[in-house]
Amino acid sequence: MLMNTGISVQPELLENLSYDDFLKMKNTLNEPTGNFFYDSWQIKDEYKNTVWDKLLKMLPDRIGEARLIILESETCYTKHCDIDDRYHLNLHGDCAYLLDLEKNHMHQTVRDYQWYQMDTGVLHSAA
């Protein structure tokens, strides 16, 4: 479900973020240039030249939607599948898991400054 891409984030990029910043952020950082599924996406104007822009530029071209997802302690997502794969970077969580519900496996995610590719076509959740 999770595979390390080998793309590392410089710790300094994340060190200046505070939890308060996450609470104020809108969830979607970019927008489609055309068709949601088939065309490229671009960073929204309000995030150009920010840490979010730098983080997304580390990934291969033609990534899809980039979202900042915040889960409070003791909460989880409803189980679901997605039609497109995702990239995952743990920004803040110290007790966070991606749950592969098909294999009954919990993937602990830690703030290790690594981008992961995530197969979201399997039934999964996050906690």
Side-chain angles (χ1 to χ4, degrees):
M1 183 174 175
L2 277 181
M3 184 177 76
N4 191 320
T5 64
I7 302 171
S8 299
V9 174
Q10 297 170 333
E12 306 83 53
L13 281 177
L14 302 183
E15 294 304 323
N16 294 327
L17 300 175
S18 72
Y19 191 68
D20 291 339
D21 292 333
F22 299 123
L23 295 177
K24 295 174 187 170
M25 295 298 299
K26 296 178 183 176
N27 278 344
T28 305
L29 302 174
N30 59 356
E31 57 197 3
T33 59
N35 184 287
F36 186 91
F37 294 109
Y38 301 108
D39 292 323
S40 60
W41 287 61
Q42 64 188 11
I43 192 89
K44 288 182 176 178
D45 286 341
E46 60 262 37
Y47 301 116
K48 286 183 180 175
N49 302 313
T50 68
V51 65
W52 310 114
D53 194 13
K54 291 177 186 175
L55 288 170
L56 293 179
K57 284 181 177 174
M58 294 177 172
L59 298 172
D61 288 340
R62 297 184 55 84
I63 65 165
E65 182 180 27
R67 292 182 292 164
L68 183 63
I69 299 173
I70 303 160
L71 282 178
E72 295 296 329
S73 294
E74 302 180 18
T75 63
C76 67
Y77 268 6
T78 302
K79 62 184 178 180
H80 68 283
C81 295
D82 298 298
I83 61 171
D84 56 342
D85 289 343
R86 307 287 167 104
Y87 288 97
H88 183 272
L89 174 68
N90 185 323
L91 299 172
H92 185 70
D94 58 356
C95 186
Y97 295 86
L98 292 171
L99 311 171
D100 181 337
L101 299 173
E102 292 180 8
K103 293 183 180 175
N104 292 320
H105 184 77
M106 293 174 48
H107 298 271
Q108 183 176 20
T109 62
V110 296
R111 189 177 187 192
D112 62 359
Y113 307 100
Q114 296 292 309
W115 277 105
Y116 291 84
Q117 192 162 15
M118 183 177 166
D119 176 2
T120 60
V122 300
L123 189 62
H124 66 279
S125 181

